[in-house]
Amino acid sequence: MQEPQRLIAKVAPYIDDINTHRNLGYTWQELADVFDSPPLVSFKYAVKYGTKYNAEQLPLPSSPHRRK
């Protein structure tokens, strides 16, 4: 499992796009899969606390798959 700080740093540049995709109906699991994230709880934690970093925001590295 990745340490929380490393995962926070990994997702921090994508916080805005993650939140946009959440508002569009993507699940936390679909978004975590984009980052090959460890347990979902760790991913949610990283997104929540990633906002404290002043990182240039980027689009997600790849689009999550939509639910059917």
Side-chain angles (χ1 to χ4, degrees), residues 17-61:
D17 211 27
I18 289 169
N19 289 328
T20 298
H21 278 76
R22 283 288 299 144
N23 291 336
L24 291 173
Y26 287 86
T27 67
W28 282 110
Q29 188 62 59
E30 288 171 324
L31 295 167
D33 290 346
V34 170
F35 294 92
D36 294 323
S37 175
L40 191 55
V41 172
S42 297
F43 181 74
K44 287 181 179 181
Y45 175 90
V47 171
K48 180 177 180 179
Y49 291 100
T51 57
K52 71 178 182 177
Y53 290 93
N54 188 15
E56 178 184 353
Q57 293 298 294
L58 304 169
L60 287 175

Side-chain angles (χ1 to χ4, degrees), residues 2-15:
Q2 291 178 335
E3 292 182 28
Q5 293 298 322
R6 288 181 58 197
L7 186 56
I8 290 171
K10 186 176 181 179
V11 302
Y14 305 100
I15 296 293

